[in-house]
């Protein structure tokens, strides 16, 4: 989400807001009529701002990112015992 908005992960809330508003103005569907790629970028920017502008959601996102980077999230391992028996 930080990359989508083009801000550092240590960015202050006002910097995130300023960058979001700039991108939203630039990518808004009313301004880019008919360009599906830019509409998708607008949606991504809006989603990123939704998470990063809320301090609780941002903290959860940062924690999940940190766990993922350290290998804390692992999918199910294959093998015979990977499924429960009914």
């Amino acid at each position: 989400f930080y990359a989508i908005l083009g801000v550092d992960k240590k960015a202050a809330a006002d910097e995130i807001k300023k960058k979001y508003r700039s991108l939203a103005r630039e990518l808004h569907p009313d301004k880019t009529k008919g360009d599906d790629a830019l509409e998708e970028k607008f949606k991504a920017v809006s989603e990123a701002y939704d998470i990063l502008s809320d301090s609780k959601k941002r903290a959860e996102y940062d924690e999940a990112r940190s766990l993922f980077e350290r290998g804390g999230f692992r999918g199910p391992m294959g093998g015979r015992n990977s499924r429960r028996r009914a």
Side-chain angles (χ1 to χ4, degrees):
F1 290 132
Y2 294 104
I4 291 170
L5 290 179
V7 296
D8 186 71
K9 68 179 184 177
K10 295 177 184 176
D14 59 331
E15 182 182 347
I16 291 171
K17 185 176 186 177
K18 184 177 179 181
K19 187 66 174 182
Y20 165 71
R21 286 184 172 181
S22 171
L23 289 170
R25 248 189 324 272
E26 179 183 322
L27 299 170
H28 196 278
D30 287 345
K31 187 173 181 181
T32 61
K33 294 183 191 304
D35 191 328
D36 292 338
L38 291 179
E39 185 175 338
E40 289 304 313
K41 281 186 180 183
F42 176 78
K43 289 177 184 178
V45 165
S46 295
E47 180 183 15
Y49 180 70
D50 180 54
I51 299 299
L52 298 181
S53 66
D54 181 303
S55 60
K56 184 177 178 185
K57 289 179 185 178
R58 183 177 180 180
E60 290 171 357
Y61 172 72
D62 288 341
E63 183 178 346
R65 252 183 81 200
S66 176
L67 285 171
F68 182 77
E69 288 171 356
R70 290 182 289 158
F73 287 122
R74 297 192 188 271
M77 304 301 272
R80 297 174 71 187
N81 294 326
S82 65
R83 290 187 183 174
R84 286 188 181 181
R85 292 184 182 189

